[in-house]
Structure formats: C-alpha cells, structure tokens
C-alpha cells in the first residue's frame, strides 16, 4: 500500500487544500492536513491544484504538430479547402506519428482526456481511424481518447460514406459524426436519418459539426434536438460549433436553448476568432451543457493552437466577455468537468475515490489561472509526480 499526503495547496476556489492519496486514488480532501501516519508528505508550496483538462473537440489526424511548419494557404470555398487539405496531408508524415506528437504536447499541458474527430469517408475509408487508434493505444491509461467517425466531405454528397461511418463505429469509434446537413450535403433529412440511424442501431453517441448560419442553423439545431428527444438520447448528442446560436436575437436563442436543454443536447464551442459563436452564459443558465475544445491545431484550416486547454478556457472567457471570478470559473469548467460529462468519464475530478491525477500551477485560484494561463504545469498521475513535477516536488519527508 502506497500512501502520499499533499499539503499546502489551494483549490479552484482559492481555499486551502490538502489531499491524502492511497494506491493512486484520493482517500480524503480537506483544508487541514490529514493524519497521515507513515505516508510520504509533499508540500505543494501554495500551488493551485486542478483536475486534468478535457479537450472536447480535436482533430488528431489533421495537425502538422510533429512535422515542419506549413504556411497557411487561403481558400475561396469549403470544397477548395478540402482539396488543399488532401494535397497537404498526402505530402505529410504518417498520421500516427503526427497524432502521437500532438497527444504528447496536449498531455504536457495537463490534458487527460479528449474527443477526437477523425475523417471517415468513401476515399479515406478507415485508414485515418486506424492510424489514430494506433496512436491512442500508446497513450492508454494516460490520456483517454474518444473517437468520432467524422464525415468531413459530407454524407449524402459523398456516395459510400454512410457505410464507412457504420464500419467505423463497428471498428471502435464511440461517436458518429455529421456536418452541415443542408449547406454541405444538401439533404438534411437524409444525413440525419443516416447519423441517427447508426447511433440507434449500434448504441453510438452523436456529435455533429454545424456551421450553418442564422435562422437556417437554428432550424437545424431544433431538428437535431427533436430527433435526440424522440430517440431518448439525452446526454448522448452534441452539436459542435453551432455558430447560428451567436447570430440570432434573445427570443430565438431562448426558444432553441429550451429545446436543447429538454433534449439533453450539449453544445461545443472553441470561441473561433472570426465568427460569432454561442453565448455560453445564456445557454448554461438555460440548462444546456456547454463544453469546449481546441478544434484544429496548426493544420490546413488555420495555423493557430498548441493543445493547451487552459489557454482555450482563457480564449472562451476573453471572447465571451467573462470577467468575474465566477464567470472565469465557468470557462474553466467548460475545459474540464463539462467535457468530462459529455465524454462520460467515470471517476473524473478531485473527489474521494477518484484517481489522483491532477495539475499543479502557480496561481492563487482557478479564475486567476484562466486569466493569466501560467506556463508552468506540474503533473501528477495516480498520486505520483511525473516529468518536471519530480524535480519540483519529488522530494518528500516522512509524516510528523
């Protein structure tokens, strides 16, 4: 039996926090140091302790992290962007190595779980999925990776894709994806019949990219919520981006938010830099689960990103005008607990009985960490320091 006691930390609320860990799991949490007996005691020197971050939306098969820098190439349309991506990725190193490099980078920032959208269509078939699955296997037990079979090129407009989406779920993808049923596919009912049909038959979750604007996008969101409610899929359906929610007025937003909450459909936003996006506070107040992710990282879609979910929480707060401590903690929750709930992670968070995997940062509380995004991240997995944390906090003393 291995016992460790961590003292002199603070929690997200800024209050003192001490932790007793036994065999890699949290035994007790509290403001006062526990009676530790023969446990090793580690002084965290006033560091903020947070659970590991959750990236609710990432594309591991697209990123050039681990490869050379590739200047961004403008495109006049979505189809042109897809053609550029095909060309660039064909000349890039294999997916598995690039995915591995990005997972490693995200893990170093403190990410412990992610939902990864992987291109599946009639041309890629399952090649991207299998490459990312191989990279995922290397990180098993360190980073929990849920896979989405994502039809980037469309479902109805790319003949044969529907059968590959189903094959991907049978192969091990936990989520079936969709994308812009009207503006890309031109057949909203056909695409949603396919996506919801696969989920219903195979017990998969759903996550649909939706960039459609204004009232058209809101109508699409309502259509997705109605299907989720009819099939009893509360908690198993998400809409990524949902730009339309940032386009419409308060009355339309209130109406569609009620539909989302009633159906248990979650919204993912990464606070994109050049587009209106969902008003996170209004949605959360309406009872909608809102989470975040990095989305594309240094790929053909844009050159930005590094995999840091704390930075993503800052961008959510910055672009949403979140200033109070409570609001900043909402952004932090979107990058942690909210994503964990959507992914269905069991035993996530700082609570007795859960795995003692956490991040220590030099910040007085969670709000300050979101606002300033401290570069230093000290990682602890299953109660033990790893990486730089070994040098910083590896020295221990016996309990008094």
């Amino acid at each position: 039996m291995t016992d460790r006691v961590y003292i002199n930390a603070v929690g997200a609320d800024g209050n003192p926090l001490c932790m007793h860990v036994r065999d890699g799991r949290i035994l007790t949490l509290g403001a006062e140091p526990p009676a530790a007996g023969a446990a090793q005691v580690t002084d965290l020197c006033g560091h903020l302790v947070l659970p590991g971050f959750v990236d609710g939306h990432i594309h591991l098969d697209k990123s050039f992290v681990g490869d050379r820098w590739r200047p961004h190439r403008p495109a006049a349309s979505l189809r042109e962007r897809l053609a550029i991506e095909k060309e660039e990725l064909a000349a890039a190193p294999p997916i598995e190595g690039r995915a591995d490099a990005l997972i490693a980078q995200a893990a170093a920032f403190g990410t412990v779980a992610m939902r990864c959208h992987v291109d599946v269509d009639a041309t890629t078939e399952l090649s991207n999925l299998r490459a990312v699955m191989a990279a995922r296997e290397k990180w098993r037990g360190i980073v929990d990776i849920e896979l989405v079979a994502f039809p980037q090129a469309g479902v109805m407009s790319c003949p044969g894709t529907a059968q590959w989406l189903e094959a991907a779920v049978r192969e091990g993808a936990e989520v079936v994806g969709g994308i812009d049923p009207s503006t890309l596919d031109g057949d909203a009912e056909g695409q949603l019949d396919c996506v919801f049909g696969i989920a219903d038959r195979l017990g998969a979750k759903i996550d649909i990219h939706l960039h459609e604007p204004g009232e058209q996008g809101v109508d699409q969101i309502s259509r997705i919520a109605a299907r989720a409610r009819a099939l009893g899929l509360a908690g198993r359906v998400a809409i990524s981006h949902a730009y339309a929610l940032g386009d419409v007025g308060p009355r339309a937003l209130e109406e569609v938010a009620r539909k989302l909450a009633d159906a248990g459909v979650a919204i993912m936003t990464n606070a994109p830099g050049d587009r209106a996006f969902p008003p996170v506070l209004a949605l959360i107040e309406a009872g909608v689960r809102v989470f975040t992710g990095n989305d594309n990282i240094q790929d053909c879609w844009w050159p930005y990103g590094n995999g840091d979910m704390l930075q993503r929480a800052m961008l959510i707060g910055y672009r949403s005008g979140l200033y109070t401590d409570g609001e900043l903690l909402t952004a932090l929750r979107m990058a942690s607990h909210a994503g964990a709930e959507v992914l269905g992670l069991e035993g996530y968070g700082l609570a007795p009985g859960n795995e003692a995997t956490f991040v220590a940062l030099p910040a007085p509380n969670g709000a300050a960490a979101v606002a300033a995004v401290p570069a230093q991240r000290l990682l602890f997995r299953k109660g033990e320091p790893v990486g730089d944390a070994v040098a910083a906090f590896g020295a221990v003393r016996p309990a008094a």
Side-chain angles (χ1 to χ4, degrees):
M1 182 170 63
T2 302
D3 275 344
R4 269 189 182 268
V5 167
Y6 290 99
I7 64 170
N8 195 23
V10 297
D13 58 5
N15 291 327
L17 182 67
C18 298
M19 186 187 316
H20 189 172
V21 176
R22 176 170 293 166
D23 292 337
R25 294 195 169 272
I26 299 171
L27 191 63
T28 63
L29 287 168
E32 299 296 327
Q40 295 175 321
V41 179
T42 300
D43 187 341
L44 291 178
C45 303
H47 275 62
L48 168 67
V49 169
L50 298 174
F53 304 115
V54 178
D55 190 329
H57 189 118
I58 194 170
H59 294 267
L60 293 172
D61 58 334
K62 297 177 182 288
S63 176
F64 297 124
V65 170
D67 187 16
R68 64 175 176 84
W69 175 259
R70 291 172 182 262
H72 183 71
R73 294 168 58 184
S77 67
L78 175 58
R79 292 296 180 187
E80 185 179 345
R81 171 65 55 215
L82 294 176
I84 290 172
E85 181 181 58
K86 290 277 189 186
E87 179 184 333
E88 291 280 1
L89 290 178
I95 289 171
E96 183 178 340
R98 290 184 285 109
D100 180 66
L102 182 50
I103 297 167
Q105 190 163 295
F109 284 119
T111 291
V112 297
M114 55 179 62
R115 172 176 280 185
C116 171
H117 296 252
V118 184
D119 284 11
V120 173
D121 60 39
T123 59
T124 61
E125 300 179 351
L126 300 183
S127 58
N128 288 27
L129 180 71
R130 287 168 177 161
V132 173
M133 291 177 82
R136 174 174 71 169
E137 195 60 33
K138 296 179 183 179
W139 290 90
R140 189 170 298 279
I142 299 173
V143 180
D144 189 316
I145 303 175
E146 182 179 65
L147 299 179
V148 184
F150 172 48
Q152 175 73 84
V155 179
M156 312 308 291
S157 60
C158 185
T161 293
Q163 70 185 56
W164 288 110
L165 291 177
E166 181 156 346
V169 174
R170 294 186 185 280
E171 185 94 357
E174 296 89 349
V175 188
V176 59
I179 180 170
D180 295 339
S182 292
T183 57
L184 179 63
D185 250 1
D187 183 356
E189 293 301 329
Q191 182 182 132
L192 295 180
D193 282 348
C194 172
V195 170
F196 277 87
I198 291 170
D200 190 37
R201 288 193 301 277
L202 302 183
K205 292 185 274 188
I206 294 171
D207 193 329
I208 297 175
H209 282 59
L210 190 66
H211 312 93
E212 298 180 14
E215 292 297 336
Q216 178 181 4
V218 167
D219 288 346
Q220 204 73 265
I221 292 167
S222 297
R223 190 176 290 120
I224 292 167
R227 285 177 178 254
R229 187 171 184 179
L231 288 174
L233 294 176
R236 297 183 62 80
V237 178
I239 301 173
S240 287
H241 305 305
Y243 292 160
L245 296 175
D247 292 337
V248 297
R251 183 172 297 178
L253 177 67
E254 181 181 0
E255 182 179 344
V256 74
R258 184 172 60 251
K259 293 176 182 177
L260 289 167
D262 289 347
V265 175
I267 295 294
M268 191 295 304
T269 182
N270 65 319
D274 64 346
R275 186 65 172 82
F277 63 96
V280 298
L281 291 184
L283 289 171
I284 291 169
E285 288 169 3
V288 181
R289 181 172 292 147
V290 186
F291 64 114
T292 188
N294 277 294
D295 196 16
N296 299 84
I297 297 175
Q298 296 179 28
D299 60 14
C300 288
W301 295 83
W302 55 59
Y304 295 101
N306 60 6
D308 184 356
M309 284 303 297
L310 186 59
Q311 183 186 79
R312 184 57 49 184
M314 180 275 289
L315 291 170
I316 292 286
Y318 181 83
R319 291 221 58 217
S320 300
L322 308 183
Y323 300 135
T324 69
D325 279 16
E327 290 170 346
L328 291 169
L329 289 175
T330 294
L332 180 61
R333 190 178 190 282
M334 287 173 59
S336 53
H337 289 85
E341 291 166 2
V342 171
L343 269 64
L345 300 180
E346 295 183 2
Y348 173 84
L350 301 178
N354 288 351
E355 185 177 283
T357 294
F358 56 92
V359 186
L361 310 93
N365 53 54
V370 172
V373 193
Q376 185 189 57
R377 309 294 165 84
L378 299 167
L379 311 179
F380 298 78
R381 294 196 186 106
K382 299 180 181 178
E384 299 294 328
V386 298
D388 291 344
V390 175
F393 297 121
V396 298
R397 60 180 173 82

